Amino acid sequence: MEVLRPQLIKIGGRVYRKNPIQEQTYQHEEEDDDYYQGLMECAEEPCETYEVVQTPQGFRCTVKAPSLLYKHIVGKRGDTRKKLEVETKTSISIPKPGQEGEIVITGQHRSGVISARTRIDVLLLTFRRKQPFTHFLSFFLNEAEVQERFLKFQEEVLEKCSMDHGVDSSIFQNPKKLHLTIGMLVLLSEQEIQQTCEMLQQCKEEFIDDISGGKPLEVEMAGIEYMNDDPGMVDVLYAKVHMKDGSNRLQELVDRVLERFQASGLIVKEWNSVKLHATVMNTLFRKDPNAEGRYNLYTVDGKYIFKERESFDGRNILKLFENFYFGTLKLNSIHISQRFTVDSFGNYASCGQIDFS
């Protein structure tokens, strides 16, 4: 992280600076104290946008959070909560592990309650970002015609390019799981899954119906490209997806969905636009057929996973199959797909969806 360009965290309409500190990947609860010390430097200025209720005893504010994150507010032996309470002169009530509910902050002074709420939000956001992605918004691209053409592509690549370094059958995508990702999600409770469903429905009512005209979007999956800079050392090869009529409607639709979810905080802002693509070859599949690209970075408890990759020489593939035609599809649904799961058709299990028609 550069000193002159620190990470910014947006909370409650305010932007806070996360000061650069000596930071290591979170592995154990014992490190909570170090995180607290560094993170609180970016929460010195209280946010006035929170709903604080005056009571006969003083002031009260509540925070909704999934139970999985409670331990990061409590800290080892309760030290993090104690520091928060002492420094903000408040009392913080947190539900027991495994119980869903609200974190309740009470105090004699409104400013102290707001300060505690701001600091809790910073902790929640920071540790949420260290959770592995659980779901993603996607279009399914596994219609029968496309699966058949994909298998033809795989057959011809292995027939003509199997002598190229790193090219073998293990790095090809499962045709049943072909998809187009709009954005990655961390959903830690049933309430958050429901919130995502409701947000998708709002997108449908506010702009998706206008863009789609209430009909499926007819697209073509054709042509291949690679992710990195060296065609001789490729890790991800993908098929390009575009509207059959040449319009920009698909790009506009997914970009607006991404923007809406980023504004809500459900998707962390990494990109301003969605790259319309479908992964067809990925070197992570070589050792783990269920690997999911660059998103396999953390375990459930926040430990970093290093996945060694053996790149492949894609130059001949790019030359011979540059314009390979995978087929035409009618995109009629956006799904909330759950990672590491499969449905009865072999695709990712869907926790919810919206349909265009």
Side-chain angles (χ1 to χ4, degrees), residues 276-288:
L276 300 176
H277 75 285
T279 297
V280 294
M281 299 173 71
N282 188 330
T283 56
L284 284 181
F285 299 154
R286 198 186 304 279
K287 293 184 178 180
D288 181 4

Side-chain angles (χ1 to χ4, degrees), residues 111-276:
S111 59
V113 171
I114 292 175
S115 178
R117 169 64 192 268
T118 302
R119 296 179 183 211
I120 288 173
D121 277 354
V122 171
L123 285 168
L124 290 171
L125 180 59
T126 299
F127 284 106
R128 174 181 286 277
R129 288 184 173 181
K130 291 187 173 295
Q131 299 298 315
F133 291 114
T134 59
H135 300 74
F136 57 98
L137 299 179
S138 71
F139 287 106
F140 291 168
L141 303 177
N142 58 350
E143 291 187 11
E145 176 196 356
V146 173
Q147 289 195 50
E148 291 175 8
R149 292 291 297 166
F150 172 84
L151 291 173
K152 181 66 174 176
F153 168 77
Q154 178 176 334
E155 178 186 343
E156 293 186 8
V157 167
L158 292 175
E159 179 184 333
K160 299 176 182 178
C161 305
S162 60
M163 298 303 292
D164 295 342
H165 175 76
V167 176
D168 62 54
S169 60
S170 68
I171 62 176
F172 286 85
Q173 173 68 283
N174 179 343
K176 295 179 180 178
K177 289 189 172 183
L178 288 167
H179 64 277
L180 188 161
T181 299
I182 299 173
M184 303 300 297
L185 297 157
V186 176
L187 305 179
L188 303 178
S189 67
E190 288 299 322
Q191 290 83 354
E192 292 188 349
I193 294 175
Q194 182 59 36
Q195 182 185 356
T196 303
C197 292
E198 292 170 359
M199 180 69 67
L200 264 185
Q201 184 61 36
Q202 290 174 15
C203 291
K204 172 179 168 60
E205 295 170 0
E206 294 178 17
F207 59 83
I208 289 178
D209 284 344
D210 288 339
I211 296 173
S212 68
K215 300 177 181 179
L217 297 180
E218 192 166 2
V219 303
E220 287 183 331
M221 188 168 151
I224 58 172
E225 190 55 85
Y226 61 103
M227 285 290 189
N228 56 306
D229 298 326
D230 185 355
M233 297 199 52
V234 176
D235 282 319
V236 176
L237 191 79
Y238 63 88
K240 293 180 279 189
V241 181
H242 59 269
M243 288 291 298
K244 189 174 182 179
D245 62 9
S247 72
N248 198 43
R249 287 190 297 151
L250 176 60
Q251 188 71 63
E252 179 187 357
L253 188 151
V254 296
D255 284 350
R256 290 188 65 177
V257 170
L258 178 67
E259 181 182 15
R260 179 60 60 85
F261 273 79
Q262 287 175 337
S264 73
L266 285 169
I267 291 180
V268 175
K269 186 169 184 178
E270 293 183 279
W271 323 106
N272 292 322
S273 181
V274 177
K275 191 177 188 67
L276 300 176

